Amino acid sequence: MNTEEKGMQNEYVKIVAVQNELYILPDSSKVWMKKGSSIQYNKAFNEQRDVWLSGSSLFEVTTQNGHPFRVYIQKAMIEVKGTCFDIHQDSEMKKNEIILYNGKINFTPENNEEIEMSPHQKITHYIEKREILKENIKNMDWEDGKFYFKELPLPQLIETINTMYNSHIRLKVNNQVIKSAFTGNIRYEESLEEVLHKICYSLDLNFQNQDNELIIYK
């Protein structure tokens, strides 16, 4: 990781992830950072637990009474109650996606009311449209640096992978294969190629890079 101090009188620390990796904040909260993402926080972090996130990261937040934990993202803020949640920011599509695995958070889009989230819920925030979609998620969990999937339908799995890796995988399979489901885990630091090998081995599929597009086929 590259670390640099910036801001007025060097009050802030900025961390940039040069690969998928874990960063531990001064309060022992964990940030599983995606390659190219960055966080910034006050050097007196235990007194003011505010984090500014650019890119996508998963947070495991420790509880500290009287010291709320807030994450600022594009056009929104998340207040944390001590929990585990995943944030994906897509600047090209102008949207935020937040998945809560356990605990409780409040999501507050800019100039709007806060929305309380419960475990295994997902919010998709379409920034320019000012639209918010809230839905329940199934067959997916997180623990100890791994995503766990149980009988996750193939189309939903590929959609999830595309979000996680900002990729554009396309399925080219028949109707029988499209009904298949994946059970297994993906480590946070695994590369996209490693993940595709794992999925294809499990479901007896193949993948190839065709004209800069990843295709999974039978």
Side-chain angles (χ1 to χ4, degrees):
M1 290 187 177
N2 300 322
T3 307
E4 62 174 303
E5 298 177 358
K6 62 178 294 185
M8 187 178 297
Q9 298 179 344
N10 293 326
E11 291 180 345
Y12 289 88
V13 175
K14 183 175 181 180
I15 306 297
V16 180
V18 297
Q19 60 186 7
N20 291 354
E21 52 190 290
L22 170 64
Y23 182 78
I24 299 179
L25 290 164
D27 67 345
S28 298
S29 294
K30 297 178 180 178
V31 187
W32 299 83
M33 301 178 68
K34 279 292 186 184
K35 179 181 178 180
S37 63
S38 67
I39 56 173
Q40 182 172 303
Y41 61 89
N42 196 302
K43 289 179 70 175
F45 184 73
N46 286 315
E47 300 174 11
Q48 183 182 346
R49 299 202 302 165
D50 292 346
V51 177
W52 287 263
L53 170 67
S54 175
S56 302
S57 293
L58 186 145
F59 288 78
E60 293 184 40
V61 178
T62 59
T63 302
Q64 285 190 6
N65 292 332
H67 292 87
F69 190 109
R70 301 182 182 92
V71 181
Y72 293 87
I73 57 177
Q74 51 180 348
K75 303 295 184 179
M77 182 270 286
I78 298 163
E79 185 169 353
V80 184
K81 308 301 182 180
T83 187
C84 175
F85 61 100
D86 205 0
I87 300 173
H88 296 277
Q89 298 185 82
D90 189 329
S91 57
E92 183 178 339
M93 299 297 293
K94 304 292 184 184
K95 70 176 182 179
N96 301 316
E97 290 186 4
I98 297 91
I99 299 175
L100 177 62
Y101 293 104
N102 59 63
K104 182 175 139 181
I105 62 177
N106 291 335
F107 174 77
T108 307
E110 189 176 67
N111 301 322
N112 213 325
E113 297 180 359
E114 69 179 22
I115 300 170
E116 185 175 300
M117 293 182 66
S118 299
H120 295 99
Q121 287 188 333
K122 172 183 175 181
I123 276 183
T124 305
H125 173 213
Y126 298 96
I127 297 170
E128 290 189 339
K129 298 179 182 178
R130 297 188 178 181
E131 293 180 359
I132 296 172
L133 174 64
K134 183 178 179 181
E135 58 189 312
N136 295 321
I137 60 169
K138 299 179 181 179
N139 314 87
M140 184 175 172
D141 219 326
W142 165 271
E143 186 177 357
D144 297 330
K146 295 179 181 178
F147 294 99
Y148 289 88
F149 304 97
K150 184 177 180 180
E151 293 297 315
L152 188 68
L154 181 57
Q156 186 179 343
L157 173 66
I158 298 308
E159 180 183 349
T160 301
I161 298 302
N162 279 333
T163 298
M164 289 170 58
Y165 289 89
N166 195 26
S167 55
H168 300 282
I169 302 166
R170 183 165 63 90
L171 287 172
K172 193 174 182 181
V173 295
N174 58 38
N175 290 333
Q176 182 177 355
V177 175
I178 207 78
K179 296 176 183 178
S180 57
F182 175 76
T183 297
N185 66 74
I186 293 175
R187 301 188 316 276
Y188 197 78
E189 71 272 16
E190 281 189 274
S191 68
L192 177 58
E193 185 174 358
E194 289 173 324
V195 170
L196 289 176
H197 277 297
K198 180 180 290 187
I199 292 169
C200 289
Y201 177 80
S202 175
L203 300 178
D204 192 24
L205 299 171
N206 301 287
F207 77 92
Q208 65 178 1
N209 191 328
Q210 181 178 312
D211 297 327
N212 294 320
E213 182 180 40
L214 288 167
I215 297 174
I216 290 181
Y217 65 96
K218 178 68 174 177

